[in-house]
Amino acid sequence: MAQRTRVVMVDDITGEPIAEGRGETVLFAVDGVTYQIDLEQQEARKLRDTLDYYASHARRTGGRRTTPTRLTITREYDTKTVRRWAQARGLDVPARGRIPHAVIEAFQAAGN
């Protein structure tokens, strides 16, 4: 039997579902406490406008203006397979952690 899970964003103020693509999560901090709130786009804009007034009169102490993006690495190989292959050929490969680039290149050059 197949199952489908659907995630619905709900406005944290009204408790109403937000149509897909019409809401966002706003992250902000006050007195050293970080908050996050899900809002419909119009309400998110109101919150930012209100905070902008105070932020324009405040001193910036750090942080970033945008949310950092995560680097996603796609592996074209299975690390366990590479380790077994390298060990069978007497190559120096650690039992755990990062596999040396030279070992991966040799594995790929061997047609794997």
Side-chain angles (χ1 to χ4, degrees):
M1 175 192 307
Q3 291 183 348
R4 182 178 291 179
T5 302
R6 185 171 178 206
V7 177
V8 177
M9 183 179 274
V10 176
D11 189 297
D12 287 331
I13 293 177
T14 65
E16 296 293 320
I18 300 172
E20 190 170 332
R22 302 280 306 152
E24 58 186 288
T25 300
V26 179
L27 180 69
F28 63 99
V30 177
D31 294 334
V33 179
T34 303
Y35 300 90
Q36 128 178 353
I37 188 168
D38 297 329
L39 297 171
E40 196 272 330
Q41 288 175 340
Q42 186 176 357
E43 291 299 317
R45 195 172 308 112
K46 284 182 190 177
L47 175 60
R48 285 193 177 95
D49 289 344
T50 301
L51 293 174
D52 281 346
Y53 171 78
Y54 294 97
S56 69
H57 293 84
R59 291 178 302 283
R60 188 168 173 153
T61 60
R64 298 175 185 237
R65 288 193 175 263
T66 60
T67 305
T69 58
R70 288 183 171 215
L71 175 64
T72 304
I73 298 172
T74 305
R75 290 193 182 116
E76 298 177 13
Y77 55 89
D78 176 50
T79 55
K80 289 180 183 178
T81 304
V82 174
R83 286 183 208 286
R84 282 195 297 265
W85 178 88
Q87 290 168 348
R89 283 154 185 78
L91 297 174
D92 187 30
V93 62
R96 294 176 47 171
R98 207 174 247 191
I99 298 173
H101 188 67
V103 174
I104 295 169
E105 284 181 334
F107 176 76
Q108 292 172 335
N112 298 304

